[in-house]
Amino acid sequence: QVHLVESGGGLVQAGGSLRLSCAASGRTFSSYTMGWFRQAPGKEREFVAAIRWSSGNTLYADSVKGRFTISRDNAKNTVYLQMSSLKPEDTAFYYCAAREGLQTTTERRYNYWGQGTQVTVTS
């Protein structure tokens, strides 16, 4: 069973940075895509970024392109989301997700989800 645990959320001022981590366990992830999604209050959950574990190929939502970077550490089985130039509209609950297969922005194609971590950006 895949187990995902997020950490690193918190409170930050606009323009600041945070790094989220997602520790993955339960199987070998070489054929997996890892994704980050977020959900703001009163809004649908939306795609943020994804990375193909084996190749390192990445995919980003337009809203975060150039500000967020997704990466993975194979030795630690951990995926990161480095968030810079944060804006109040980045405030949301951030979730790590996993699926076996190629990157996709479609939420329902991810089979495994973490519990999430809150990111709050103040103006």
Side-chain angles (χ1 to χ4, degrees):
Q1 180 70 15
V2 173
H3 190 50
L4 306 174
V5 179
E6 302 96 333
S7 61
L11 183 69
V12 64
Q13 286 190 328
S17 299
L18 274 178
R19 188 178 78 160
L20 305 183
S21 300
C22 173
S25 61
R27 60 188 58 184
T28 302
F29 291 94
S30 56
S31 62
Y32 275 66
T33 286
M34 307 298 293
W36 286 97
F37 288 76
R38 66 186 182 186
Q39 187 167 22
K43 293 189 176 181
E44 303 265 325
R45 190 155 56 182
E46 64 175 3
F47 170 79
V48 175
I51 187 166
R52 183 86 171 120
W53 200 286
S54 56
S55 65
N57 288 343
T58 57
L59 184 65
Y60 294 95
D62 288 343
S63 59
V64 306
K65 209 171 287 184
R67 300 188 299 122
F68 290 12
T69 302
I70 188 170
S71 62
R72 85 272 192 248
D73 184 327
N74 290 338
K76 295 182 178 180
N77 251 20
T78 299
V79 176
Y80 303 99
L81 185 69
Q82 177 67 47
M83 306 185 293
S84 303
S85 301
L86 282 161
K87 306 175 182 179
E89 51 264 44
D90 294 317
T91 294
F93 215 71
Y94 283 71
Y95 296 90
C96 178
R99 70 180 300 267
E100 191 163 12
L102 298 176
Q103 297 105 311
T104 176
T105 63
T106 306
E107 177 185 347
R108 67 177 184 276
R109 293 184 177 177
Y110 287 81
N111 308 107
Y112 307 99
W113 293 84
Q115 295 298 308
T117 185
Q118 176 69 41
V119 172
T120 302
V121 184
T122 60
S123 56

